[in-house]
Amino acid sequence: QVKLEESGGGSVQSGGSLRLSCATSQYSINNYCMGWYRQVPSFAREPIAAIELDGSASYTDSVKGRFTIIRDKAANTLYLEMTDLRPDDTAIYTCAADYRPTVRCLPEAVESLGYRGRGTQVTVSS
């Protein structure tokens, strides 16, 4: 069982920055497809970023150029660095992971990943 735990959420003003962390004690997660999605209650989940085993990252248009996904293999931790935050970035952010060696690790795959944390709230005020 892979356990993921997010941290780093909080409240910021528009234009501010936050760094989210997703920690796991599983060393083998370095071989997993990993990503982030977000959700506003009563709305659909929005996958926003994914990172391949080789470190190559991909993003949805809504966050491209503002968010950066980083995998720290030594620390078994996934990060999401968020800059130029906007009120419509307000959501619960959740990390996800799974072993998918034959599938490209893209944002659209993140929702189907089998392991996920409980999420961390990000609130951006105008």
Side-chain angles (χ1 to χ4, degrees):
Q1 183 74 13
V2 175
K3 293 184 179 180
L4 305 174
E5 183 173 3
E6 302 91 344
S7 62
S11 297
V12 296
Q13 290 190 328
S14 184
S17 301
L18 282 174
R19 186 177 78 162
L20 306 183
S21 300
C22 173
T24 176
S25 58
Q26 297 281 125
Y27 74 92
S28 61
I29 206 165
N30 290 327
N31 295 322
Y32 283 32
C33 167
M34 300 188 74
W36 293 88
Y37 65 86
R38 63 188 181 185
Q39 186 171 21
V40 176
S42 302
F43 286 82
R45 289 175 182 169
E46 179 190 12
I48 55 174
I51 189 164
E52 296 267 20
L53 305 184
D54 64 1
S56 58
S58 54
Y59 306 89
T60 54
D61 288 345
S62 60
V63 305
K64 194 176 296 182
R66 300 187 298 122
F67 291 11
T68 304
I69 185 172
I70 300 168
R71 183 200 298 260
D72 185 334
K73 292 186 176 182
N76 294 326
T77 301
L78 181 73
Y79 298 100
L80 184 68
E81 296 188 342
M82 306 185 295
T83 63
D84 189 24
L85 284 162
R86 306 165 183 168
D88 59 5
D89 291 319
T90 295
I92 297 171
Y93 286 71
T94 302
C95 65
D98 211 339
Y99 183 66
R100 299 280 176 86
T102 62
V103 177
R104 285 200 65 193
C105 188
L106 298 173
E108 51 263 39
V110 171
E111 280 190 271
S112 67
L113 299 180
Y115 303 104
R116 58 195 64 185
R118 295 186 176 184
T120 185
Q121 176 71 46
V122 171
T123 302
V124 185
S125 58
S126 57

